[in-house]
Each structure stands twice: as structure tokens, then as C-alpha cells.
Amino acid sequence: MSARPIRVLDFGQVMAGPLAGRLMADVGAEVIKIETPEGDAMRGRPPLRDGHSAYFGTLNAGKRSVVLDLKTEEGRRDAFALAKTADVVMENFRPGVMARLGLGYEALSAVNPGLIYCAISGFGQQGEGAKRPAYAPMIHAASGLDLALMDFVPGAERPAPTGMFYADVLAAIYAWGAVQTALFERERSGKGQMVDVALMDSLISMMIYEVQEAQFPQPRKRHVYIPVRTAEGFVIVVPLSAKNFAAMLEVLGSPDWGNDPRFTTPAGREANWAEIMSRVERWTEARSSDECERLFMAAGVPCSRYRTVAEALADPVSVERGITGEVEDGAGSFAVPNPPFRLSLTEAHVRRRIPALGEGTEEILGPLRVGDDG
């Protein structure tokens, strides 16, 4: 195996591509982020501190930044030369854009047969879908996710607004994993390959039950878990097993309704979950969220209070786990999520340095421009 780090040429923009590239950096790859002279648009997205975007930093920590104007012949020539030195190319342009620039898989693999070329798009690289523009909120709507989530909310008259971009995050993770598989295959065969990741496919893959229910409709709606109100917030209580349910009834003071025949079997409890939770709420709404969580958990009943993101990050369990790592840009240091896995031999954590626009251009391109083609 090569002693040098895997070199990744990251043409990613905004979210899915850059996040996949950052995960590569998190496990030790040399990731070179290609930016326009104006820089990735995410550099201007809030939260901003002294003109530096923490959003951009989260997606691009651990990379080097090289500025190339791909609209010019010189920029395309430099990109091509750099791709000849890469192990992996990642991009999330609309299908066909990179090929028109002379930087598609066919052109690059002809001069670099071991290249892993990962393209992330909304609907894949081929067919009618490839022509569509694609942003995560569109994919959430088109995939059925938003209507599936709406169906979980009694009385909802329209889908909820979109604020978290699940499609982008899932596609980035799948791209990262697929690239690892392709690199392993290259160790065996010496051959590179094309990796085609679609946001639509990624989101559909998350809806395991819904895909089956679409084929085999059920007589009643899927059982969902319901928040119950406390004196100042909410908790979720999940007494799935008979043992959990019995323990919950003890915490509640062994109410008479616990013997209701509708609640004595798992199927009965599932079918009448909303009714059970409405009765539980009569007890929880007189107590704090902390007290409810403490009493239920002490009895072995799965329960959690609803927390803010800030509270979750400050939880001693999160701190002990190292769920975030410190990174630094021109405005100082801040915390970003680490990759959600740990390896016993390989360092898997966010790297501290966030690249300034173009900071690596001369250092990385200089040798190529004087004739060193890697």
C-alpha cells in the first residue's frame, strides 16, 4: 500500500460534495478543495464571525483551498493536471458540466486509470432525471418523505417546512462509503471506477418501512411515537416491551386503566398508543421534564426529555464521547461535529485547520506548472 495519503480533488459546492470531502479529510486523506476566484458560496453563509462562516468551516475543515477559474483554458488545464495526480475526484455539479469542461470521468480516467471519480447529483448521471435541477428541499418533496412525515402529524393540513437538508447529508455519507469501497477494489484489481450517487436514491433508502408499505398497504396507519407534555416542556416515553409497560405503570402509581384489555398485548398497545400516551400525559404534565426522565429511566422505562441542540452538545455523555472537535479559521476556534464513528487503528476526527480562499494554490500547483506531472 502507498505510504502517501490518498489525494482527493474536491470540486464540491455548497453541501453534499463538500461534506463527503470533509469525511475523507477526517480519516486522513489530503483533500484539495477547488474554488472559483469568488470562493464557495458557503463562505458567505451564516453563522458568520468577523466575516468567516462557521457553516463553511464545518463542511471544509481539514482541506486545502486551490483557486481555479474553470471558465478559462488555463484553469481547466491546471485542473486536468491536478486530476492526473489524484486518487479520487469528487464533484456535485449538474450531470454533464464536468464533461463539457473536459474534466469528466472518461477524459480523466484515460490519463489516470486508477482514478475513483465520484459524482453526486439529484437523480443520477443518466436518463431524464439527470436534466433536472436538484436541491435538497425538492428531493424531500419528490421522494415522498415530506408527505410521509405529514402523515405522522394528526390534523396536519400541509407538509412541514424544510430546514434540515437530510438528502444532502445522506448522499454525502453514501458517497464517502462508496469511495472507500472503490478504493478497496482498486487495491485488489488496480482499477479505478465511476461512483454515481443520487440524492433521490439516498433519501428513498432511508424510508425502509414506507417503501414496503407503498407496495403492501396496511389496514391502519403506522404506529408512531408521541411526545407528551410536562410542566415546562416535553418528554418521549417508549414502553415497547411488556416489562417496560409494567414498569411504567408502577411509576404512574399502578392506575386502573393499566388493566384495560386494549393494553394487555403488544399489538393492542401499538394500536392504542395515542390513548395510552394521553393517559401518561395526565401524570407527566404535573412534573418537570427532568423529573419524568429521572423516574422513568430509574425504573427501566426508556424515556428522554426534549433538548435543544446546545443542551445535547453540553451533555456529559456527548463531551466524553468527543462528539465534536475544535476547528479554527481567521475568526478563531469553534466546535463542529466529528464523524459519527470511531476506529481502533485509524484516526477519525475533524482536522483543525479551515482553509482560507486559495491558500494552497501556489504550493500545490507550482510543481505542476513547471512540468512536474506527478
Side-chain angles (χ1 to χ4, degrees):
M1 296 179 64
S2 173
R4 67 173 179 82
I6 294 293
R7 171 173 274 194
V8 179
L9 199 54
D10 177 5
F11 289 91
Q13 305 174 85
V14 186
M15 193 167 189
L19 179 56
R22 204 213 88 180
L23 288 170
M24 293 295 296
D26 287 351
V27 292
E30 176 196 21
V31 182
I32 301 170
K33 180 176 180 62
I34 304 301
E35 298 192 70
T36 66
E38 298 76 27
D40 189 327
M42 296 300 284
R43 287 187 180 272
R45 291 286 298 275
L48 292 168
R49 306 120 51 252
D50 296 332
H52 294 268
S53 169
Y55 205 162
F56 172 88
T58 298
L59 295 168
N60 293 285
K63 303 178 185 179
R64 303 294 306 276
S65 172
V66 167
V67 167
L68 292 177
D69 187 350
L70 299 180
K71 296 177 181 178
T72 68
E73 183 178 347
E74 180 185 13
R76 293 190 294 272
R77 184 173 63 245
D78 284 340
F80 192 86
L82 196 51
K84 291 169 65 176
T85 74
D87 298 286
V88 179
V89 164
M90 286 184 156
E91 56 101 344
N92 63 330
F93 290 107
R94 192 182 296 192
V97 169
M98 287 289 276
R100 289 194 292 274
L101 294 171
L103 299 169
Y105 175 65
E106 296 298 331
L108 296 183
S109 64
V111 296
N112 185 355
L115 181 68
I116 312 302
Y117 190 106
C118 179
I120 304 172
S121 63
F123 301 92
Q125 296 295 306
Q126 305 294 329
E128 285 299 311
K131 302 175 184 177
R132 300 182 194 175
Y135 296 92
M138 293 171 53
I139 306 298
H140 295 179
S143 67
L145 174 70
D146 284 345
L147 288 183
L149 292 175
M150 176 184 167
D151 204 38
F152 294 160
V153 183
E157 296 181 351
R158 66 173 65 196
T162 292
M164 295 186 188
F165 306 132
Y166 310 112
D168 281 321
V169 174
L170 277 172
I173 294 167
Y174 281 131
W176 179 85
V179 165
Q180 309 311 310
T181 303
L183 286 168
F184 179 69
E185 172 59 32
R186 191 179 71 173
E187 288 296 308
R188 297 169 52 182
S189 68
K191 297 178 181 179
Q193 60 183 300
M194 175 76 179
V195 176
D196 175 357
V197 179
L199 273 67
M200 183 71 162
D201 302 10
S202 300
L203 209 50
I204 290 285
S205 77
M206 185 179 77
M207 295 186 284
I208 296 170
Y209 176 90
E210 288 73 20
V211 168
Q212 300 310 314
E213 201 274 337
Q215 300 170 81
F216 313 109
Q218 298 299 295
R220 62 179 174 83
K221 290 185 177 181
R222 182 184 183 185
H223 163 58
V224 296
Y225 300 97
I226 303 169
V228 294
R229 188 177 296 279
T230 65
E232 50 21 320
F234 297 90
V235 294
I236 193 157
V237 188
V238 194
L240 288 178
S241 69
K243 182 178 180 180
N244 292 157
F245 187 71
M248 183 188 74
L249 292 176
E250 286 190 28
V251 174
L252 300 180
S254 301
D256 292 339
W257 61 261
N259 297 316
D260 189 314
R262 294 176 298 165
F263 309 149
T264 57
T265 66
R269 289 192 292 274
E270 183 175 309
N272 295 281
W273 195 266
E275 173 66 19
I276 292 171
M277 287 301 116
S278 71
R279 294 170 184 267
V280 171
E281 190 169 77
R282 295 171 195 167
W283 182 87
T284 61
E285 63 187 0
R287 295 165 174 81
S288 71
S289 299
D290 282 342
E291 182 182 9
C292 292
E293 181 183 70
R294 177 174 55 80
L295 292 174
F296 280 131
M297 291 291 279
V301 182
C303 174
S304 177
R305 66 183 180 91
Y306 282 73
R307 302 186 296 186
T308 65
V309 174
E311 288 173 325
L313 294 176
D315 187 303
V317 173
S318 299
V319 174
E320 181 184 24
R321 171 71 174 168
I323 204 166
T324 62
E326 288 291 314
V327 298
E328 186 173 6
D329 61 15
S333 63
F334 60 98
V336 307
N338 266 318
F341 50 82
R342 305 292 181 269
L343 303 173
S344 61
L345 292 179
T346 304
E347 290 189 19
H349 59 82
V350 66
R351 270 44 180 182
R352 186 173 180 86
R353 192 166 176 270
I354 297 168
L357 179 61
E359 48 78 34
T361 302
E362 292 305 318
E363 178 184 343
I364 293 170
L365 286 182
L368 302 180
R369 286 172 170 167
V370 297
D372 180 1
D373 60 6

